[in-house]
């Protein structure tokens, strides 16, 4: 049986695990305010709503905790992280670096803004 032609079909395979897809859903819900800062996320409710296992959800929680969107408190559960003043200062510091670099990358006036 010849399978050498399958290499081109690799792009059709999903690159994301179920946990990563669950993390994407939760990330979007957190960003939209559906889960407000400080709220405890119920494993039972989310597992039931998304029809995923607890292990899958816990892996999604670990991914989002690593991204600092969630906070795991021992024996209490997982909570949406509350953004601090220091966090906001860091966000704006990074924005300043990125946005100023983008403006410097435009070159000298007149700026070619048509591609933008």
């Amino acid at each position: 049986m010849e399978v050498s032609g399958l290499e081109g079909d690799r792009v059709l395979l999903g690159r994301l695990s179920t946990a990563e897809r669950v993390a994407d859903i939760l990330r979007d819900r957190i960003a939209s305010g559906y889960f407000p800062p400080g709220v405890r996320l119920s494993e039972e409710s989310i597992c039931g709503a998304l029809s995923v296992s607890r292990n899958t959800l816990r892996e999604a929680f670990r991914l989002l905790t690593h991204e600092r969107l969630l906070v795991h408190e021992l024996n209490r559960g997982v909570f949406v992280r509350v953004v601090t003043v220091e966090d906001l200062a860091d966000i704006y510091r990074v924005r300043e670096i990125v946005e100023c670099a983008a403006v410097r990358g435009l070159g000298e006036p007149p700026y070619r803004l048509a591609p933008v």
Side-chain angles (χ1 to χ4, degrees), residues 2-51:
E2 182 63 36
V3 295
S4 62
L6 289 177
E7 290 86 5
D9 292 332
R10 269 189 218 150
V11 296
L12 301 175
L13 296 174
R15 296 279 186 205
L16 299 178
S17 68
T18 303
E20 290 170 317
R21 290 192 302 264
V22 170
D24 286 343
I25 291 167
L26 295 176
R27 187 182 302 107
D28 289 343
R29 292 298 184 136
I30 291 167
S32 71
Y34 182 84
F35 295 121
V39 73
R40 182 179 174 278
L41 299 181
S42 166
E43 280 186 10
E44 188 176 313
S45 298
I46 296 171
C47 284
L50 297 178
S51 296

Side-chain angles (χ1 to χ4, degrees), residues 61 65 70-79:
F61 282 172
T65 299
L70 300 179
V71 176
H72 179 259
E73 295 183 13
L74 196 58
N75 298 322
R76 291 200 59 226
V78 177
F79 297 81

